[in-house]
Amino acid sequence: MKTLLNYIDGAFVAPATDMGRFPVINPATEEQVAEIAMGSALDANMAVAAAHRAFQTYSLTTLEERIALMEKLLEIYMRRYGEVADAITTEMGAPKDFSNNAQAECGSGHIKETLKAARALDWEERSGARGNVVREAIGVCGLITPWNWPMNQVAAKVAPALLAGCTVVLKPSEQSPLSAQIFAECVHEAGYPAGVFNMVHGTGVEVGNALSVHPDIELMSFTGSTRAGIAVAKAAAESVKRVSQELGGKSPNIVFADADVEKAVKRGVLHCMSNTGQSCNAPTRMLVEASVYEKAVEVAAATAAKVKVGDPTEPGNHIGPLASGIQFQRVQHWIEAGIAEGARVVAGGPGRPEGIAKGFYARPTVFADVNNQMQIARNEVFGPVLVLIPFKDLDEAIAIANDTPYGLAAYVYTNDLSTAFRMADGLEAGIIGINDPVPATPQCPFGGMKESGLGRELAHEGLDAYLETKYLAIRVKE
């Protein structure tokens, strides 16, 4: 049984105090595959101290030196790419092909795009007659990443931070730590100076809070639930550190009658079910113009019925289990709640798919006749569950779409560009896809409005999050 250790000050080390072992469970088999030696606030403080020491010299390195280290990290990551993909399949149930083509690819994709952004950035530029604007590393950064896209978020935070000249303490999710452990091994092999990158396993209450309150951390970057994000922001407030949050979502997918309804609905269903519905930007509320609503229900039901659920170690275009037993129970709770509220189940329903007796597998489920006040329309289910809601006109579509505490993503299907841009202007979301099911890419800023978070990740905006802007007013001696 492999025991995962912390990585502090350039070495893999056991926790300073015994906080017990956390089992890593394969969600497809419900069997334990590893264990975590859980860290404590003391370990977090030791990691911050190491990062603080390292920042004094690492922040003074040249951009060329930091690029060379990141390119070395990318080279090692690509050599171990298959291991990363296999780890993600094991730890959170992403199917083999999806792990290779999407989950693990995010790691290399974000590193490559951040390298491009670093090379293109004006790190120092002239401003006015006698001034310069200089961009420099913000300091030590605390990074907390989720279980649903584990390598996506690790790379999206670590790459820009290290290229900016920051040092970091990463707390990966205890639900999916295997890929993070491989990433830490890649960083170690790349030759980063001791203390530049640190990783502490543990709970949010113990390790996450210790990072959030620490006075030597200048930035907390958090991805996860809105509830946990609020806790991080509150804990960080007393030391007036910068906080970046990528939180929950309940994204609307708005289908107008003039669109290719069949194609739009099929795309929407498959996008919702991708990653077993465990994506914060998943289009989980399908709003359909009333005149084509029943057709959309029919297409959605037929499409969901054809979504295959199966063994994540097998190749193919199917979805795997939910990532944990806790998540399975949550999804079952929301499906039961939808039935109790009177929504019409047109595909799926409670329980496991037929023929599957073991593993945290859920049935791809579609609810029709939903209104936006139902719990399944307002809460983030985070599973393969889609709700359909009719609307009569553009204004009502915008009203329903915006009637949510979230504002991460929105999707619009129409052949009328004026309608598309009127919707884009009116929707309260940080990412909007117009006739495009997957608008999020490593080249584009990612983040939301309202309770979906603060700030942006990826590309130039992602790099900027780890930089301070300093203005130098210079008068030449007269």
Side-chain angles (χ1 to χ4, degrees), residues 128-148:
R130 55 186 181 91
N132 279 10
V133 171
V134 177
R135 294 174 178 83
E136 58 186 37
I138 191 171
V140 180
C141 302
L143 314 176
I144 301 178
T145 57
W147 50 260
N148 62 317

Side-chain angles (χ1 to χ4, degrees), residues 105-106 109-110 113 152 156 281 431 436-447 457-461:
E105 197 280 330
C106 287
H110 291 324
E113 289 304 321
N152 175 70
N281 62 338
I431 306 163
D436 185 350
V438 190
T441 67
Q443 298 85 13
C444 303
F446 188 93
E457 291 189 314
L458 312 187
H460 293 277
E461 286 82 359

Side-chain angles (χ1 to χ4, degrees), residues 44 47-48 51 138-145 153-154 157-158 161 166-172 196-200 207-214 216-223 232 236 241-245 457 465-466:
V48 173
I138 191 171
V140 180
C141 302
L143 314 176
I144 301 178
T145 57
Q153 292 306 130
V154 167
K157 297 181 191 299
V158 173
C166 299
T167 57
V168 306
V169 180
L170 168 68
K171 192 206 89 63
V196 170
F197 171 89
N198 305 272
M199 181 179 70
V200 180
V207 174
N209 184 70
L211 296 176
S212 300
V213 301
H214 203 294
D216 287 338
I217 284 187
E218 299 296 336
L219 164 70
M220 284 300 300
S221 179
F222 172 87
T223 300
V232 168
K241 55 174 58 73
R242 190 185 298 179
V243 176
S244 174
Q245 302 166 314
E457 291 189 314
Y466 295 90

Side-chain angles (χ1 to χ4, degrees), residues 149 267 271 274 281 411 413 431-441:
W149 284 87
R267 283 181 174 177
H271 188 187
S274 178
N281 62 338
Y411 306 85
Y413 284 89
I431 306 163
I432 297 175
I434 297 174
N435 298 323
D436 185 350
V438 190
T441 67

Side-chain angles (χ1 to χ4, degrees), residues 254-262 264 292 295 413-416 435:
I254 304 154
V255 180
F256 284 89
D258 67 343
D260 184 330
V261 174
E262 184 167 349
V292 292
K295 178 182 179 180
Y413 284 89
T414 176
N415 285 322
D416 186 333
N435 298 323

Side-chain angles (χ1 to χ4, degrees), residues 395-407:
D395 289 337
E396 186 179 38
I398 291 176
I400 295 172
N402 290 342
D403 182 20
T404 172
Y406 300 111

Side-chain angles (χ1 to χ4, degrees), residues 269 272-273 284 300-301 303-305 307 309 319 331-332 334-336 338-339 343-353 362-368 376 381 383-388:
V269 172
C272 175
M273 303 297 167
T284 53
T303 304
V307 173
V309 181
I319 64 174
V331 171
Q332 296 305 309
W334 290 122
I335 292 174
E336 295 284 3
I339 294 171
R344 175 164 52 114
V345 178
V346 296
R352 292 182 175 91
R363 300 171 68 190
T365 299
V366 176
F367 284 104
I376 51 171
V381 175
V385 179
L386 174 67
V387 303
L388 274 75

Side-chain angles (χ1 to χ4, degrees), residues 144-323:
I144 301 178
T145 57
W147 50 260
N148 62 317
W149 284 87
M151 192 46 54
N152 175 70
Q153 292 306 130
V154 167
K157 297 181 191 299
V158 173
L162 297 188
L163 278 170
C166 299
T167 57
V168 306
V169 180
L170 168 68
K171 192 206 89 63
S173 170
E174 60 272 30
Q175 298 288 343
S176 55
L178 302 178
S179 55
Q181 198 80 9
I182 296 172
F183 187 87
E185 292 169 5
C186 293
V187 172
H188 182 78
E189 186 180 343
Y192 277 88
V196 170
F197 171 89
N198 305 272
M199 181 179 70
V200 180
H201 295 291
T203 65
V205 172
E206 182 73 19
V207 174
N209 184 70
L211 296 176
S212 300
V213 301
H214 203 294
D216 287 338
I217 284 187
E218 299 296 336
L219 164 70
M220 284 300 300
S221 179
F222 172 87
T223 300
S225 72
T226 297
R227 178 178 56 81
I230 291 170
V232 168
K234 285 182 176 179
E238 292 210 12
S239 50
V240 198
K241 55 174 58 73
R242 190 185 298 179
V243 176
S244 174
Q245 302 166 314
E246 200 274 282
L247 309 177
K250 193 69 179 176
S251 301
N253 187 10
I254 304 154
V255 180
F256 284 89
D258 67 343
D260 184 330
V261 174
E262 184 167 349
K263 182 181 292 186
V265 172
K266 283 183 177 179
R267 283 181 174 177
V269 172
L270 296 177
H271 188 187
C272 175
M273 303 297 167
S274 178
N275 203 38
T276 319
Q278 299 167 125
S279 298
C280 52
N281 62 338
T284 53
R285 289 185 299 152
M286 185 176 288
L287 281 52
V288 183
E289 194 164 1
S291 63
V292 292
Y293 176 74
E294 288 302 332
K295 178 182 179 180
V297 170
E298 182 180 326
V299 174
T303 304
K306 293 178 182 177
V307 173
K308 295 180 180 178
V309 181
D311 185 347
T313 63
E314 294 293 330
N317 187 25
H318 57 281
I319 64 174
L322 292 159

